[in-house]
Amino acid sequence: MALSITIKGHNVIGNRRQTIATVDFDSSYPTGGESLTARNLALGIIDMLQVESKSGYIFDYDYTNNKLKVFYPRAAIANTLAIADHAALAHSGTAATTPALAHEAGATAVTSTAATMPDHAAAACTVTQPADHAAMAHTISGVAGVAAGAGEEVPDTTNLSALTSVRVIAMGC
């Protein structure tokens, strides 16, 4: 199947034409995107195409293959912060988690707020200490929102028929 395209209007800006349209997706999205050509938008070529995100989906236009690709945001990626010189840090802990370390006077305390990070239902903070105390690793991981991940294309044959009236603006000639 294919996109259903409705042209809403045209404008002329300088020596370029602008087409404003909406697209409706069908029940079987093909991997690599839906065909969307300049001709579909009453243009000779597409110089630039913008698609407004909708229902949590984001879009990318493949100018080489004339395809409109659909992506959804991926889950979060865990972040790791490595601390190379722990001499300036003050630590506290129990034998079961992190042994207490002695540091020079004037050390700065480091406190993890992983459990209270906004928009995180759960997060974990782990401090590990090598035997030689040369380096420490502080790892924070949690649910979506810890770090933005790249979008991921929706799988082949995904039913996107509920994704309708997606606004498109194309510039060309």
Side-chain angles (χ1 to χ4, degrees), residues 57-120:
Y57 292 100
I58 50 179
F59 305 91
D60 183 44
Y61 187 68
D62 177 349
Y63 291 90
T64 303
N65 298 303
N66 299 313
K67 303 275 185 166
L68 182 57
K69 297 168 96 175
V70 181
F71 293 82
Y72 59 91
R74 271 194 344 201
I77 299 170
N79 290 318
T80 300
L81 169 64
I83 303 170
D85 178 11
H86 76 287
L89 303 175
H91 302 279
S92 62
T94 64
T97 57
T98 305
L101 300 175
H103 295 286
E104 292 81 22
T108 304
V110 175
T111 305
S112 172
T113 58
T116 60
M117 294 170 77
D119 302 323
H120 293 80

Side-chain angles (χ1 to χ4, degrees), residues 5 7 9-10 17-19 37-45 172-173:
I5 302 160
I7 305 290
H10 298 282
R17 292 189 53 179
Q18 178 187 62
T19 299
T37 66
R39 177 173 236 167
N40 297 139
L41 297 169
L43 296 170
I45 62 167
C173 59

Side-chain angles (χ1 to χ4, degrees), residues 109-117 123-127 138-141:
V110 175
T111 305
S112 172
T113 58
T116 60
M117 294 170 77
C125 177
T126 307
V127 177
H138 182 90
T139 303
I140 299 174
S141 60

